[in-house]
Amino acid sequence: MIHPSAIIDESAHIAADVEVGPYAIIGRQVTIGSGTKIGSHAVIGDWTEIGSNNQIYHHTSVGAPPQDLKYRGEETWTRIGDNNTIREFATIHRGTVTGHRETIVGNNNLMMSYSHVAHDCVVGNGVVMANSATLAGHVTVEDNVILGGLVAVHQFSTIGAYSMIGGGTLIGLDIPPYMIATSGKRDAKLRGLNLIGLKRRGFSDEAINSLKKAYKTLFMAGLKLPEAIARIRGEITGCAEVDNLLAFIERSQRGICRG
């Protein structure tokens, strides 16, 4: 299961059924779970944990040192969950001591060719990053997000769950959950709810209609955000999705993208 040309540090812990292709390199203190396949010429850097049933294609780089001028070789980590597909030439860097000390990727994600996850990012579950989509440092991507090709996300931004970002979009502010965002004149602009995505994910008509009403109040009623949030809370009750949307907006540190 391990090609004889692969170079594996003696401190690595690799499950018995892991496949490692020709000329792959696996560094110090690496753990790889059952059923994972490492392609040829892939490099798994030091202090990396990889779960079960991942497909890591040839020429990928997972767990390399962060592209941070302050990094001095400290022990920081990359942690990858289960059932992820990481395509050729994708890159994922480990954390920094000034951040979380770890970069985290959850489960069931697809990272297409040339996509990039920088240091201290947190990527949830069910995320799709299309070709050359890139996350700067300290970015959070919540569950079931789709990032189109060539999307670039500014450091410390958060992409809310079930949102969809059109190809080539520059993200400089937080994207609220359940939304579609595409390129504006300069940065991203909201274009409405991700209606097709929500329906495909099984959201109820009641929840979708409540989110539509909340969206109109937030972005089309001419209200300041605190006023809009107060009105929504007075008019829409018992909808977990709307509550999640409002909570996301209230805890945003960078500010949210608008329509």
Side-chain angles (χ1 to χ4, degrees):
M1 306 293 283
I2 298 178
H3 195 274
S5 65
I7 300 173
I8 301 175
D9 190 271
E10 61 183 10
S11 65
H13 297 275
I14 300 174
D17 62 346
V18 169
E19 297 182 19
V20 181
Y23 304 105
I25 299 174
I26 297 176
R28 299 175 293 163
Q29 302 298 320
V30 171
T31 301
I32 303 177
S34 177
T36 291
K37 299 179 180 180
I38 308 296
S40 65
H41 298 274
V43 178
I44 310 300
D46 299 341
W47 302 306
T48 297
E49 293 181 355
I50 299 173
S52 301
N53 301 313
N54 295 285
Q55 177 74 64
I56 299 176
Y57 277 75
H58 51 282
H59 296 285
T60 55
S61 175
V62 176
Q67 297 177 129
D68 187 323
L69 294 175
K70 300 184 296 298
Y71 183 71
R72 295 292 183 268
E74 301 93 345
E75 179 180 332
T76 58
W77 286 79
T78 306
R79 305 188 195 277
I80 311 290
D82 303 329
N83 305 308
N84 296 290
T85 300
I86 303 174
R87 293 303 304 248
E88 54 273 19
F89 301 101
T91 51
I92 303 173
H93 291 170
R94 60 179 178 258
T96 63
V97 294
T98 56
H100 305 301
R101 299 189 71 100
E102 59 185 6
T103 299
I104 300 173
V105 176
N107 307 316
N108 304 301
N109 300 299
L110 170 59
M111 297 179 175
M112 297 187 192
S113 298
Y114 295 97
S115 58
H116 175 64
V117 178
H119 60 86
D120 302 291
C121 286
V122 178
V123 178
N125 305 311
V127 172
V128 176
M129 295 180 62
N131 299 74
S132 300
T134 56
L135 309 180
H138 310 275
V139 167
T140 297
V141 180
E142 296 182 348
D143 294 346
N144 300 303
V145 168
I146 297 176
L147 302 176
L150 298 168
V151 165
V153 183
H154 193 283
Q155 61 187 1
F156 294 101
S157 298
T158 299
I159 312 298
Y162 298 97
S163 59
M164 181 174 182
I165 313 300
T169 302
L170 303 179
I171 305 293
L173 298 171
D174 294 345
I175 304 297
Y178 317 116
M179 305 294 175
I180 287 179
T182 61
S183 294
K185 289 183 179 179
R186 180 175 165 186
D187 292 331
K189 297 292 183 184
L190 297 184
R191 306 299 181 183
L193 292 177
N194 182 18
L195 292 174
I196 294 176
L198 296 178
K199 291 175 181 177
R200 287 176 175 171
R201 292 286 182 176
F203 283 76
S204 68
D205 290 341
E206 181 180 4
I208 291 173
N209 288 333
S210 294
L211 286 169
K212 286 181 179 179
K213 185 175 180 179
Y215 183 92
K216 291 178 180 178
T217 303
L218 284 167
F219 303 116
M220 302 170 68
L223 300 173
K224 295 181 179 179
L225 271 180
E227 297 170 344
I229 290 171
R231 177 181 292 185
I232 292 167
R233 288 209 166 104
E235 295 178 349
I236 303 174
T237 59
C239 179
E241 291 80 8
V242 171
D243 291 343
N244 181 48
L245 171 61
L246 299 182
F248 180 98
I249 293 171
E250 289 178 321
R251 67 174 179 265
S252 172
Q253 297 296 310
R254 289 190 61 78
I256 62 166
C257 177
R258 295 171 176 266

